[in-house]
Amino acid sequence: MIKFSGKSVYKGIAVGPAAVLKNHDFQVKREKIEDAEAEIQRVEEAVEKAQEQLVMLYDKAVKEVGEASAAIFEVHQMMLEDEDYRDSVCNMIRTEQVNAEYAVAVTGDNFSEMFAGMDDDYMKARAADIKDISNRLVRCLCGEENMDFGSMEPSVIIAEDLSPSETVQMDKEKILAFVTVHGSTNSHTAILARMMNIPALIGVPMNLEEIHNGQTVIVDGLKSEVIFDPEEEKRREAEAKIQEEKEKLELLQTLKGKENVTLSGRKIHIYANIGSVSDVAYVMENDAGGIGLFRSEFLYLGKEDFPTEEEQFQAYKQVAQMMAGKKVIIRTLDIGADKQADYFHLGNEENPALGYRAIRICLKQTDIFKVQLRALMRAAAYGNISIMYPMITSTEEVRRIFEIVKEVQKELDEIQVPYKVPEQGIMIETPAAVMISDELAELVDFFSIGTNDLTQYTLAIDRQNEKLDDFYNPHHKAILKMIRMVTENAHKCGKWAGICGELGADLELTEEFLKMGLDELSVSPSMVLKVRKAVRESRV
Ligand code: PEP
Ligand code: MG
């Protein structure tokens, strides 16, 4: 039995087999080999294995996201058969007498660089594909099974770190818990774990080399510990706790259908945060009154290219229709910082959290922004959609956004498709927006306070930096004063204000938020009923 402590991001408990997700940046070593033909035979076998994985991935993707999005796995199959690529690998093995892993990795880098340097955007985008198939081949050569969620039994995912795009691609039904060596509790991966209701521990000082697939693991988010190969007694204890948690959850179920009202009659909206269309199931399961934050950028992550207007329209429309008239607040693209997609070619920045991200990209690259706005406004004709803009710092930005919205409106009028200009609000997540919230309130329909970034920017603490978790204090008086100020300024103009950052689900503050007069709290679906319980027990 081996025990480690870590930082808990979702306080649940799970027991199950480990599934080790090895780092993608393989340390491929150059090795001298004797038998080049045997090495080439290894490449052939790896290609065959990779092809089998791609066929399975294609079938899974067709079922889950449709044929158009699944097509990329067909492209990968074709690329694996590309003669130039295969010849280059074999040639390097023969002439330089090097191992297959090295030849594949170097060929992958060379081809990828060549594609990245092309003028044609389509060919440019193939650079990432070449990297992807080369990584897959190296993994096959190393004998590492690709994480095959199709046939995998529900498991505890063990990894060095997980990026938001890796996390969104996982099959949520197959994940019992996450345990990672790195990561900060305020990262989007942690937020995703909370959203998915999955016990998760980060900052666990384990050695992935010593953990193997199938090893039994207990992840205890309540005690912030993970135990590998537990003794029978520990396992029984954990299973009893899981049962206890299940019963507590069942008790919460009795609150479904009940109002979010305090003992003295004050009401508040409790909505849920989502990142994908499939998350709507959690929203319904937990009886949220609406969706207070749909992080639309997750539609852009884990993809090879921009989602089209049609793809986005279908996603937004589907969510609006499923929510059947309940409010659905969709935030426009908040890409950048830890949420990266290669095809944006954002480049490296010294301070990405303070960099070219979110609304700044949309205001500079209005073609990208307009595609999303068109999709949103068209979808708004099918339900109760509101649009929300992230990372606002000035009234000029809001005015410019409204000009662009007007242009889009004109374009939609010209092609005569049904659309609606919905309610439009902004996120308050920069200290600048807080300080001018009186002026901003005159321009927009609502405020939603993004306490994750507001804490980062106010306390000058990088939310991604795991060393700073102990300093990251969203209970800081400055943050609470800001929330009060923003709410008061919204109300003075007859507008509503809510919180959609993680602090909204902090049960120690529910009473305080009610006292401040907040109109809405948007929390991860798993927290909806817990916050409802806190509201219903409050005397405010
Ligand atoms: C926030 O900053 O509080 C927020 C809700 O947005 P995100 O966490 O996606 O940056
Ligand atoms: Mg934010």
Side-chain angles (χ1 to χ4, degrees):
M1 186 172 100
I2 313 168
K3 189 157 88 179
F4 295 102
S5 294
K7 290 180 269 185
S8 176
V9 297
Y10 180 78
K11 296 190 185 310
I13 306 171
V15 182
V20 187
L21 195 67
K22 294 257 166 75
N23 207 336
H24 295 265
D25 297 326
F26 283 91
Q27 295 299 318
V28 174
K29 287 196 202 100
R30 181 188 170 108
E31 282 167 17
K32 262 260 159 303
I33 50 108
E34 299 291 333
D35 187 349
E37 293 318 306
E39 213 56 17
I40 288 169
Q41 182 55 32
R42 285 184 62 224
V43 175
E44 297 302 325
E45 284 162 15
V47 168
E48 214 171 288
K49 201 162 156 195
Q51 290 287 24
E52 281 168 20
Q53 291 175 354
L54 288 166
V55 170
M56 279 198 313
L57 271 175
Y58 175 79
D59 291 344
K60 175 174 181 283
V62 167
K63 279 190 218 117
E64 290 176 6
V65 292
E67 226 161 288
S69 305
I72 189 62
F73 297 116
E74 274 189 325
V75 174
H76 281 200
Q77 286 173 50
M78 282 181 326
M79 287 172 117
L80 262 182
E81 295 301 334
D82 182 80
E83 278 191 15
D84 291 334
Y85 176 79
R86 298 271 287 270
D87 285 352
S88 172
V89 172
C90 298
N91 191 40
M92 187 176 292
I93 294 176
R94 284 199 185 101
T95 54
E96 297 184 33
Q97 296 282 303
V98 287
N99 52 325
E101 289 86 344
Y102 181 79
V104 168
V106 172
T107 306
D109 285 347
N110 290 344
F111 273 63
S112 161
E113 254 175 54
M114 178 180 79
F115 278 109
M118 289 182 174
D119 287 336
D120 183 289
D121 280 348
Y122 177 82
M123 296 313 274
K124 254 199 178 96
R126 302 285 73 80
D129 295 319
I130 284 282
K131 262 253 160 54
D132 207 342
I133 62 163
S134 301
N135 280 341
R136 183 178 296 283
L137 269 186
V138 173
R139 252 185 254 135
C140 291
L141 282 163
C142 296
E144 190 198 315
E145 293 297 328
N146 195 42
M147 194 68 66
D148 169 14
F149 289 105
S151 58
M152 187 177 96
E153 61 175 318
S155 303
V156 174
I157 306 291
I158 310 283
E160 283 290 333
D161 204 353
L162 288 169
S163 71
S165 59
E166 283 169 323
T167 317
V168 287
Q169 286 177 73
M170 290 183 180
D171 184 342
K172 297 168 197 173
E173 300 305 317
K174 299 291 176 72
I175 306 171
L176 296 174
F178 288 121
V179 184
T180 64
V181 178
H182 303 290
S184 102
T185 45
N186 312 297
S187 69
H188 283 94
T189 303
I191 289 173
L192 280 170
R194 282 194 279 269
M195 205 139 80
M196 290 148 89
N197 246 351
I198 291 174
L201 276 190
I202 60 174
V204 176
M206 56 194 174
N207 180 355
L208 258 54
E209 293 306 321
E210 290 167 5
I211 300 163
H212 56 83
N213 287 335
Q215 206 171 342
T216 302
V217 199
I218 297 177
V219 181
D220 188 338
L222 300 166
K223 282 197 189 157
S224 303
E225 65 183 28
V226 51
I227 303 175
F228 291 92
D229 295 327
E231 286 151 3
E232 200 39 44
E233 197 187 324
K234 278 270 172 216
R235 194 190 164 117
R236 270 202 301 274
E237 266 175 36
E239 273 157 3
K241 269 203 219 165
I242 291 174
Q243 188 55 28
E244 214 177 284
E245 286 299 303
K246 217 171 124 198
E247 282 161 18
K248 273 194 205 156
L249 275 178
E250 274 163 13
L251 258 184
L252 278 178
Q253 302 304 306
T254 59
L255 291 178
K256 279 189 182 171
K258 301 251 165 79
E259 271 192 304
N260 308 310
V261 61
T262 65
L263 292 169
S264 61
R266 169 144 158 61
K267 291 183 189 167
I268 188 164
H269 294 293
I270 304 178
Y271 295 161
N273 296 346
I274 65 165
S276 70
V277 178
S278 58
D279 289 343
V280 177
Y282 304 122
V283 176
M284 293 180 169
E285 202 178 296
N286 292 285
D287 194 35
I291 292 169
L293 168 64
F294 179 175
R295 289 182 163 94
S296 72
E297 59 276 9
F298 287 124
L299 297 180
Y300 293 68
L301 296 182
K303 289 186 63 100
E304 301 291 325
D305 208 344
F306 292 98
T308 61
E309 177 182 328
E310 196 56 28
E311 264 176 73
Q312 293 192 56
F313 165 63
Q314 291 299 345
Y316 305 145
K317 178 176 146 192
Q318 207 180 333
V319 173
Q321 285 177 331
M322 285 194 285
M323 291 301 289
K326 290 185 181 151
K327 203 185 261 306
V328 176
I329 304 178
I330 305 179
R331 173 173 78 183
T332 59
L333 184 59
D334 187 10
I335 210 103
D338 63 326
K339 289 175 283 194
Q340 292 286 340
D342 287 348
Y343 56 86
F344 272 84
H345 301 294
L346 294 178
N348 285 336
E349 292 181 304
E350 292 238 345
N351 292 304
L354 304 180
Y356 188 52
R357 57 172 296 196
I359 201 68
R360 300 168 185 181
I361 297 177
C362 292
L363 290 176
K364 282 262 179 211
Q365 290 172 261
T366 48
D367 46 342
I368 299 176
F369 193 30
K370 280 185 169 182
V371 170
Q372 182 169 38
L373 287 174
R374 271 201 299 273
L376 283 167
M377 283 157 66
R378 285 174 54 203
Y382 297 85
N384 187 4
I385 285 180
S386 306
I387 306 182
M388 176 158 78
Y389 304 103
M391 288 292 293
I392 297 295
T393 62
S394 71
T395 52
E396 289 75 19
E397 284 163 353
V398 176
R399 290 205 171 88
R400 178 69 191 123
I401 290 169
F402 289 164
E403 276 169 22
I404 299 170
V405 168
K406 282 229 162 66
E407 287 165 25
V408 169
Q409 210 177 330
K410 240 170 116 189
E411 287 167 21
L412 292 173
D413 280 334
E414 274 162 23
I415 53 168
Q416 295 188 341
V417 285
Y419 78 89
K420 195 177 147 202
V421 182
E423 183 186 48
Q424 294 174 79
I426 56 171
M427 291 204 55
I428 301 286
E429 50 186 346
T430 64
V434 173
M435 297 313 289
I436 57 162
S437 51
D438 52 346
E439 289 178 50
L440 289 166
E442 286 174 14
L443 299 177
V444 301
D445 297 320
F446 65 91
F447 287 156
S448 187
I449 307 172
T451 49
N452 310 334
D453 277 318
L454 187 58
T455 307
Q456 145 161 282
Y457 297 128
T458 306
L459 305 186
I461 284 177
D462 177 1
R463 68 192 261 197
Q464 290 297 117
N465 187 335
E466 59 197 72
K467 289 195 213 116
L468 299 177
D469 272 355
D470 291 343
F471 294 91
Y472 184 96
N473 173 20
H475 285 215
H476 194 293
K477 269 192 206 150
I479 306 295
L480 299 178
K481 271 191 175 177
M482 284 174 152
I483 297 174
R484 184 184 298 276
M485 179 175 168
V486 168
T487 311
E488 283 171 5
N489 281 335
H491 289 172
K492 273 184 209 153
C493 276
K495 310 294 167 68
W496 66 265
I499 296 179
C500 64
E502 296 295 290
L503 199 65
D506 191 324
L507 301 174
E508 279 177 41
L509 291 174
T510 310
E511 283 233 329
E512 184 126 12
F513 293 149
L514 286 161
K515 281 187 199 149
M516 288 182 189
L518 279 145
D519 304 281
E520 176 241 23
L521 297 173
S522 189
V523 299
S524 69
S526 59
M527 289 303 294
V528 168
L529 294 172
K530 291 181 190 165
V531 178
R532 178 171 298 162
K533 181 168 182 282
V535 169
R536 291 176 65 85
E537 286 169 1
S538 160
R539 304 208 164 269
V540 175

